[in-house]
């Protein structure tokens, strides 16, 4: 790397939504970024944009985080400089389906468990030893309000996010003595993402869940992530539970119209 003083951040799931907005804010601030996801073209487009606009280094890693072999191969393709990650944003994740437990699809459950829990673990297992060796680093997990309270039909998605919450707490117990910070952000509903489109299999009508109120935007969450990871070294923000003003919790949302435009 040309500038050894620049920090390196890895953002998983940077092809859209919260991950893309977060990678963009890091790039804007001069961090070297490793952006990951399955959609190669989207990663390449983002890389070109960052290179055009900011004086930073960018690496794209295209892999399916559910596949441990692919994940390891992607990691091993990085040279040793790039494997020194200062900040890991464990963001890749999804909800799939919105059915009561007796009607849920097993494939949807597998995909959520494999991505949101196992994928997060695979990448953390690869990145964290380097942080321990250097006695520094920051890992931020993107959890959800659904990792703090359940809602009807949210069952398995919520379970995966409760698992993320447990992992954030456990990782902090294991890593704090090595000088590594572990944080989490837990947003309620967030627009400018593909979250609802993915959850409802591209059904635009069902995915229109943000039209009658102001949820958070992906950039709102990205700004909070940047705030968390730019505190002084002795400060670790453990979790930020955040929702749009019109959302009181997972169930109570003022859907009387978008009041903040
Ligand atoms: P998006 O669908 O816009 O982004 C999801 C990202 O995850 C994409 O970049 C996608 O990349 C990546 N991803 C999904 N599956 C895989 C996989 N198998 N392998 C690698 N990458 C994968 O949704 P959001 O931005 O909303 O979601 C980001 C995170 O935020 C998730 O963990 C989600 O649970 C969480 N969250 C979302 C909220 C919301 O309301 N939107 C609220 C609270 C939390 P690609 O498809 O290219 O692989
Ligand atoms: C996304 C928030 O309420 O749609 O994690 O599950 S919610």
């Amino acid at each position: 790397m040309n500038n050894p003083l620049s920090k390196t951040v890895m953002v998983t799931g940077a092809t859209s939504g919260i991950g893309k907005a977060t990678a963009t804010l890091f790039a804007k601030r001069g961090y070297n970024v490793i952006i990951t996801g399955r959609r190669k073209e989207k990663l390449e487009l983002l890389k070109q944009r960052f290179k055009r606009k900011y004086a930073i280094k960018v690496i794209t890693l295209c892999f399916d985080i559910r596949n441990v072999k692919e994940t390891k191969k992607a990691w091993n393709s990085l040279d040793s400089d790039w494997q020194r990650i200062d900040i890991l944003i464990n963001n890749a994740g999804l909800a799939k389906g919105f059915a009561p437990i007796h009607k849920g699809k097993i494939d949807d459950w597998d995909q959520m468990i494999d991505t949101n829990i196992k994928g997060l673990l695979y990448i953390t297992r690869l990145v964290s030893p380097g942080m321990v060796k250097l006695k520094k680093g920051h890992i931020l997990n993107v959890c959800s309000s659904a990792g703090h309270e359940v809602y009807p039909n949210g069952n398995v998605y919520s379970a995966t996010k409760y698992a993320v919450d447990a992992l954030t707490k456990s990782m902090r117990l294991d890593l704090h003595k090595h000088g590594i910070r572990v944080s989490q952000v837990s947003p309620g509903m967030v627009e400018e993402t593909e979250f609802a489109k993915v959850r409802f299999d591209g059904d635009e009508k069902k995915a229109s869940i943000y039209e009658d109120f102001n949820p958070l935007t992906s950039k709102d969450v990205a700004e909070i992530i940047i705030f968390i990871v730019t505190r002084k070294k002795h400060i670790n923000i453990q979790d930020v539970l955040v929702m749009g003003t019109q959302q009181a919790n997972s169930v109570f949302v003022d859907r009387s119209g978008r009041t903040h435009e």
Side-chain angles (χ1 to χ4, degrees), residues 144-146 151 157 187-189 195 199:
S144 168
S145 52
Y151 54 85
Y157 176 65
M189 287 190 265
F195 181 86
R199 174 170 235 171

Side-chain angles (χ1 to χ4, degrees), residues 9-36 42-43 45-56 58 89 91 192 218-223 225-226:
V9 56
M10 176 186 269
V11 182
T12 68
T15 52
S16 61
I18 295 169
K20 183 177 175 183
T22 303
T24 302
L25 288 192
F26 276 118
K28 207 170 172 182
R29 283 174 160 252
Y31 288 77
N32 294 319
V33 294
I34 302 173
I35 46 178
T36 87
K42 288 198 179 279
L43 289 172
L45 278 175
L46 205 56
K47 177 178 177 172
Q48 295 318 323
R49 202 168 96 205
F50 290 170
K51 302 276 283 180
R52 219 174 32 246
K53 294 178 82 170
Y54 313 113
I56 61 162
V58 185
I89 308 295
N91 165 74
E192 294 170 5
S218 54
K219 191 171 174 215
D220 294 332
V221 180
E223 283 171 349
I225 291 173
I226 298 287

Side-chain angles (χ1 to χ4, degrees), residues 3-158:
N3 181 0
L5 296 177
S6 299
K7 285 196 172 176
T8 299
V9 56
M10 176 186 269
V11 182
T12 68
T15 52
S16 61
I18 295 169
K20 183 177 175 183
T22 303
T24 302
L25 288 192
F26 276 118
K28 207 170 172 182
R29 283 174 160 252
Y31 288 77
N32 294 319
V33 294
I34 302 173
I35 46 178
T36 87
R38 289 165 301 179
R39 288 170 293 175
K40 198 171 175 21
E41 331 75 64
K42 288 198 179 279
L43 289 172
E44 284 308 317
L45 278 175
L46 205 56
K47 177 178 177 172
Q48 295 318 323
R49 202 168 96 205
F50 290 170
K51 302 276 283 180
R52 219 174 32 246
K53 294 178 82 170
Y54 313 113
I56 61 162
K57 301 260 177 202
V58 185
I59 294 264
T60 62
L61 291 180
C62 184
F63 63 95
D64 187 329
I65 208 165
R66 290 171 293 175
N67 184 319
V68 71
K69 275 194 191 147
E70 266 187 48
T71 306
K72 275 187 187 163
K73 196 172 160 201
W75 174 254
N76 289 334
S77 73
L78 295 172
D79 68 31
S80 54
D81 273 355
W82 277 104
Q83 286 186 344
R84 257 179 254 129
I85 308 285
D86 295 288
I87 302 167
L88 168 64
I89 308 295
N90 275 322
N91 165 74
L94 79 171
K96 201 86 182 126
F98 192 74
I101 204 73
H102 60 291
K103 290 184 179 167
K105 289 191 189 143
I106 304 283
D107 282 351
D108 288 349
W109 294 355
D110 284 342
Q111 188 172 355
M112 289 186 278
I113 292 165
D114 290 349
T115 312
N116 301 359
I117 306 175
K118 291 168 77 179
L120 181 149
L121 283 170
Y122 296 157
I123 203 75
T124 303
R125 181 65 184 84
L126 291 165
V127 172
S128 56
M131 292 181 167
V132 169
K133 201 168 158 198
L134 292 175
K135 289 207 147 298
K136 62 176 183 154
H138 201 150
I139 300 175
L140 184 144
N141 296 331
V142 178
C143 185
S144 168
S145 52
H148 297 273
E149 57 178 355
V150 294
Y151 54 85
N153 303 329
N155 42 62
V156 177
Y157 176 65
S158 262

